[in-house]
Amino acid sequence: MVSKIMLDDRVIQLSNFEEGKEKGLYTVSVTFDVTSEDYHDIATLLYNGTFDVKIPEKDIMFRGTIYNYSTSITNLYEKDQVGQYKLTLVEEKG
């Protein structure tokens, strides 16, 4: 299983990874944990919406946009909490 993904230059450790192709374009669905301490940085990153996506373990790189995104209801403003994020990225046509 793939253990990490890079969005721009941010390395994110994964708990789940699925990949596919739709109309010749990569789709990647990932699940990862976010701690209270990392919440602000991850949220700020994801607000960008489009990223340079790198999956080093599969030698895959593409420009991807968020297609689907969800989080657990964990209050990450409270110290020492861990939330779960699910994210699906789709390769941009180009």
Side-chain angles (χ1 to χ4, degrees):
M1 183 186 108
V2 171
S3 64
K4 64 186 172 187
I5 191 170
M6 293 179 69
L7 302 181
D8 293 336
D9 292 322
R10 176 74 186 228
V11 176
I12 298 173
Q13 298 298 317
L14 303 176
S15 57
N16 189 49
F17 174 86
E18 295 176 27
E19 67 178 307
K21 280 207 171 189
E22 224 175 275
K23 299 180 183 174
L25 302 174
Y26 281 109
T27 61
V28 175
S29 295
V30 296
T31 304
F32 56 96
D33 291 337
V34 176
T35 64
S36 300
E37 294 75 27
D38 289 333
Y39 167 69
H40 177 73
D41 291 341
I42 293 293
T44 301
L45 173 69
L46 295 179
Y47 284 137
N48 291 329
T50 300
F51 317 93
D52 290 327
V53 179
K54 296 176 188 160
I55 306 157
E57 293 156 294
K58 292 201 156 255
D59 199 27
I60 295 172
M61 295 185 335
F62 62 91
R63 188 81 176 150
T65 299
I66 294 174
Y67 174 75
N68 197 0
Y69 166 64
S70 66
T71 68
S72 62
I73 59 171
T74 309
N75 184 354
L76 292 174
Y77 290 110
E78 292 181 13
K79 188 176 178 178
D80 299 325
Q81 298 297 307
V82 178
Q84 188 175 72
Y85 280 46
K86 295 182 180 182
L87 181 66
T88 299
L89 300 161
V90 177
E91 181 181 12
E92 289 188 334
K93 294 179 184 177

